[in-house]
Amino acid sequence: MHIEVVTLFPGMVHEALAHGIVGRAIERGLATVVCEDPRSHATDVHRTVDDRPYGGGPGMVMKPEPLAAAIDAAAARAPAGVERVYLSAQGEPFSQALATRWANGAGLVLVAGRYEGIDERIVQTRIDREVSLGDYVLSGGELPALVVIDALVRLLPGALGDERSSVEESFGSGRAGAKLLDWPHYTRPVEFEGRKVPLVLQGGNHAAIERWRLREAVVRTWHRRPDLIAATGLDGEAGELLTEYLAERARDGGTNKGE
Ligand code: 9WO
């Protein structure tokens, strides 16, 4: 996997990728991340990469020439045909499905903007897709680019380095038809500040533990992210567990568990 990041802050990107699962995957050569700085393509004595917006208003816009040269240099190093992606709040929502698709490809060129944005002609001529992490404004596209890299690299074969399956967790495709939120986790001690680990997890009944976890995931998802269940419905055991929970909740007057 060859990922290029076009950014005015290469240090920020490299530092963030030096840790944990992603850091190890890069160390092992599962992924290569290279930065291209538009400033190195600026031609004037001040190495200018921004200019005032046509039409007026506050702030600056990333000027097209150095940015175009940086994107072209990055795309020339990347495997042929990889998508050039601009991280912006105007993009289509990022998703686990997109991460999976990209993890099965040869690489990406990620373009991180700064200031008030990039010249629209760059979007028209050198961006294949605009992707958003959510409805908020940041000070640049580097953190969203890092989120995309993290989501993608951990899906590469061997990145997790043990028997753990990356699809077992929230938003994986493996479980119960619908994408469900994760269940609660506990470790020692068995009692912390008066709160005990649920009894079923203390015992060795693995079928009961699996069932408890699925039920917790289903109930959490129903409360916190009903949109995830509405999208696909629930199959088999997950559906039964939700029906069971809703019956108990109705019996108890609808104010169960502080959920
Ligand atoms: C700044 C600004 C100031 C006044 C009025 C409107 C404004 N919009 C912006 C703005 O969007 N600046 C962007 C900062 C320029 C491109 C990089 N930046 C960015 C990317 N902010 N947020 C993102 C982003 C990317 C992906 N998903 C969520 C947010």
Side-chain angles (χ1 to χ4, degrees):
M1 170 78 37
H2 184 112
I3 300 170
E4 292 278 338
V5 185
V6 175
T7 172
L8 290 169
F9 299 107
M12 178 180 176
V13 170
H14 283 129
E15 161 56 23
L17 295 173
H19 309 275
I21 287 166
V22 172
R24 196 180 52 197
I26 291 171
E27 247 173 48
R28 289 179 175 177
L30 299 179
T32 306
V33 180
V34 182
C35 290
E36 186 69 26
D37 185 347
R39 201 173 292 282
S40 69
H41 296 272
T43 49
D44 66 312
V45 68
H46 300 293
R47 316 243 94 184
T48 305
V49 293
D50 61 334
D51 204 344
R52 291 149 58 206
Y54 272 107
M60 300 292 270
V61 174
M62 285 182 80
K63 65 195 269 87
E65 306 93 323
L67 183 55
I71 294 172
D72 291 350
R77 264 194 314 264
V82 305
E83 285 191 86
R84 297 164 296 181
V85 178
Y86 178 45
L87 289 312
S88 96
Q90 286 72 49
E92 65 174 290
F94 185 55
S95 63
Q96 190 66 32
L98 210 43
T100 304
R101 188 182 324 158
W102 285 337
N104 287 311
L108 276 184
V109 175
L110 298 170
V111 178
R114 280 274 155 176
Y115 314 114
E116 312 310 316
I118 70 179
D119 190 288
E120 187 65 18
R121 291 164 294 185
I122 296 297
V123 178
Q124 292 166 343
T125 60
R126 285 176 173 78
I127 296 299
D128 302 305
R129 194 199 276 267
E130 265 182 87
V131 169
S132 168
L133 279 252
D135 295 333
Y136 36 76
V137 179
L138 305 171
S139 46
E142 283 79 9
L143 290 172
L146 287 163
V147 169
V148 168
I149 293 169
D150 189 290
L152 199 153
V153 168
R154 65 189 301 290
L155 292 176
L156 299 176
L160 298 187
D162 58 20
E163 76 295 338
R164 276 172 62 213
S165 159
S166 57
V167 297
E168 244 179 57
E169 297 166 36
S170 286
F171 299 110
S173 53
R175 200 170 54 199
K179 294 153 195 263
L180 297 175
L181 301 183
D182 206 358
W183 51 70
H185 303 277
Y186 295 89
T187 186
R188 293 184 294 178
V190 73
E191 182 174 339
F192 174 70
E193 296 183 343
R195 293 162 185 271
K196 292 192 175 68
V197 173
L199 266 178
V200 62
L201 298 181
Q202 296 180 43
N205 185 339
H206 297 295
I209 289 170
E210 284 301 289
R211 205 172 150 75
W212 180 88
R213 285 178 169 165
L214 181 57
R215 178 177 151 126
E216 291 292 319
V218 165
V219 168
R220 263 187 177 184
T221 307
W222 185 83
H223 278 285
R224 300 182 191 185
R225 294 293 307 277
D227 57 300
L228 294 177
I229 292 176
T232 49
L234 291 175
D235 65 5
E237 193 181 9
E240 287 164 27
L241 287 167
L242 180 58
T243 304
E244 176 190 291
Y245 166 75
L246 291 173
E248 288 172 16
R249 189 169 180 269
R251 229 174 16 246
D252 300 346
T255 52
N256 217 359
K257 298 186 91 177
E259 291 269 11

